[in-house]
């Protein structure tokens, strides 16, 4: 080969290319791999940085589909559907996943004093939430179905992992908590694959692993409940945390000039009309955040602030109808209002 400038340049670029590939393989250059997919009735995104990123994403998608198969009320053969079919008749032995979710769900039913109640399914079905045929049911239908809503009728037995609903016509729906459990499972898969930095987004249910590749904390935006998706009311800066929001803008329909959303107050059978329109929980485990965000949304800001301030390691941000923002004490210095229509109202 003749040695001239042209050849020297080619050789140099090849060497640089090889060095770059080696750096990538050894993990010294950080690059996120991002994948979007549909599961758990919603669009999900995993953004993962690390040598085993693709493997971790594949495993996560498989686990999410498994959780969906076990826990969806829209799948006839799911464990949840079977528990509902057996209601008042016999108990069902369920998988570890389903048992754990139901056990945790009952804890949040109790803590929220029934504001969160997974036996809400007959009412959710009446409204057509999660389906095409949404409608406003008649008040007598609601009254009738409300009679069977009572989480105290869920009988669980740890010895054989079984679940029983005491009365016929009772039905459970873990839609208000399963995504949190799913996010925790993805977190565990990421950690097993030595992923140091990742963003898990299960339909707005966020879990951040580590900090960003530049070493800074992640900034998570909290949706402005009055605006189009993607416009934030505030941001929060977090490392290794779950950030879960329940909001009136997530799923709703409008009729006769009135908006009906998907979070039902079990004491009325109608969509919650507490002063809270957006409830965000920041926690180490997403299952806690998911159960509590739905529950506190219904409880209203006074009770919700009191409950979360009492819980160690769990924080919250509540936005009220009046654009007031309540933040628990553990979050001081971490929240930034990004829209000046909102005002802090930190004490109750
Ligand atoms: P999203 O599913 O939009 O993330 P949530 O976590 O707040 O929102 O869960 C809302 C879902 O929980 C509803 O779609 C319904 O399936 C169920 N749900 C509605 N009201 C209640 C309630 N009071 N207690 C428990 N689950 C509920
Ligand atoms: Mg929830």
């Amino acid at each position: 080969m003749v040695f001239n400038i042209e050849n020297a340049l080619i050789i140099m670029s090849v060497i640089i290319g090889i060095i770059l590939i080696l750096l990538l393989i050894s993990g010294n250059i950080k690059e996120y791999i991002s994948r979007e997919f549909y599961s758990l009735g919603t669009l999900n995104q995993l953004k993962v940085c690390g040598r085993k990123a693709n493997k971790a994403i594949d495993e996560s998608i498989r686990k999410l589909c498994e959780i969906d198969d076990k826990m969806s009320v829209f799948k006839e053969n799911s464990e949840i559907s079977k528990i509902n079919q057996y209601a008042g008749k016999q108990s069902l032995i369920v998988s570890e996943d389903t048992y754990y979710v139901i056990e945790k769900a009952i804890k949040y039913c109790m803590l929220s004093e029934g504001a969160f109640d997974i036996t809400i399914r007959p009412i959710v079905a009446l409204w057509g939430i999660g389906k095409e045929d949404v409608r406003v049911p008649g008040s007598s239908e609601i009254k009738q179905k409300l009679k069977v809503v009572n989480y105290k009728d869920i009988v669980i037995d740890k010895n054989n992992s079984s679940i029983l609903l005491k009365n016929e016509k009772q039905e459970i729906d873990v839609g208000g908590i399963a995504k949190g459990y799913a996010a925790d499972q993805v977190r565990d898969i990421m950690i097993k694959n030595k992923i140091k930095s990742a963003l898990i987004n299960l339909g707005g249910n966020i879990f951040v692993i580590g900090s960003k590749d530049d070493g800074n904390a992640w900034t998570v935006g909290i949706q402005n409940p009055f605006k189009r998706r993607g416009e934030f009311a505030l941001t929060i800066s977090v490392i290794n945390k779950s950030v879960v929001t329940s909001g009136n803008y997530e799923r709703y329909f409008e009729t006769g000039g009135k908006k009906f959303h998907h979070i039902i107050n079990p004491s009325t059978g109608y969509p919650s009309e507490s002063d809270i329109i957006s409830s965000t929980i920041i926690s180490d485990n997403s299952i806690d955040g998911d159960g509590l965000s739905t529950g506190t949304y219904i409880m209203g800001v006074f009770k919700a602030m009191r409950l979360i301030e009492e819980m160690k390691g769990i924080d919250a941000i509540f936005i009220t109808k009046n654009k007031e923002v309540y933040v628990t004490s553990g979050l001081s210095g971490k929240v930034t209002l990004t829209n000046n229509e909102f005002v802090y109202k930190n004490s109750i």
Side-chain angles (χ1 to χ4, degrees), residues 116 174-180 205 244-246 263 286-295:
F116 183 69
V174 291
I177 194 165
K179 260 193 282 171
N205 208 314
V244 178
T245 303
S246 287
I263 301 172
S286 201
I287 191 163
D288 301 322
D290 202 1
L292 283 167
S293 71
T294 311

Side-chain angles (χ1 to χ4, degrees), residues 29-86:
I29 284 187
K30 290 172 182 154
E31 194 185 75
Y32 285 96
I33 290 178
S34 179
R35 234 188 286 170
E36 285 188 12
F37 55 95
Y38 198 82
S39 181
L40 303 169
T42 185
L43 185 67
N44 308 288
Q45 187 196 26
L46 300 178
K47 212 174 139 189
V48 184
C49 177
R51 201 163 52 82
K52 295 190 187 165
N54 267 313
K55 179 171 172 272
I57 294 174
D58 288 341
E59 277 179 37
S60 300
I61 295 176
R62 248 178 283 146
K63 184 69 198 181
L64 293 179
C65 291
E66 190 191 320
I67 293 173
D68 199 16
D69 287 345
K70 286 174 177 171
M71 300 186 204
S72 169
V73 272
F74 300 110
K75 293 188 172 170
E76 217 181 304
N77 289 320
S78 73
E79 292 179 330
I80 297 295
S81 294
K82 284 199 181 129
I83 292 170
N84 294 343
Q85 288 152 22
Y86 289 1

Side-chain angles (χ1 to χ4, degrees), residues 117-183:
D117 189 329
I118 56 167
T119 61
I120 197 77
R121 174 67 196 158
I123 303 280
V124 168
L126 204 57
W127 284 87
I129 292 165
K131 296 184 85 178
E132 299 282 289
D133 45 351
V134 276
R135 68 183 184 102
V136 183
S139 60
S140 59
E141 287 176 284
I142 290 181
K143 228 165 128 188
Q144 191 62 29
K145 298 275 182 195
L146 267 182
K147 287 184 187 154
V148 293
V149 175
N150 186 358
Y151 69 91
K152 290 177 186 149
D153 291 336
I154 310 169
V155 184
I156 63 171
D157 185 348
K158 216 179 188 93
N159 292 319
N160 62 352
S161 272
S162 73
I163 312 283
L164 166 77
L165 291 174
K166 271 191 191 160
N167 304 307
E168 241 179 274
K169 299 208 174 105
Q170 284 191 310
E171 286 180 71
I172 53 172
D173 171 6
V174 291
I177 194 165
K179 260 193 282 171
Y181 177 70

Side-chain angles (χ1 to χ4, degrees), residues 195-211:
I195 301 298
K196 299 272 177 348
S197 176
L199 179 79
I200 302 163
N201 180 352
L202 307 185
N205 208 314
I206 306 286
F207 202 114
V208 300
I209 294 182
S211 44

Side-chain angles (χ1 to χ4, degrees), residues 188-226:
D188 292 349
I189 290 170
M190 294 296 159
I191 289 170
K192 199 186 79 195
N193 283 289
K194 301 198 167 53
I195 301 298
K196 299 272 177 348
S197 176
L199 179 79
I200 302 163
N201 180 352
L202 307 185
N205 208 314
I206 306 286
F207 202 114
V208 300
I209 294 182
S211 44
K212 283 190 297 184
D213 56 352
D214 59 9
N216 290 322
W218 293 90
T219 304
V220 177
I222 305 300
Q223 173 70 35
N224 179 340
F226 300 95

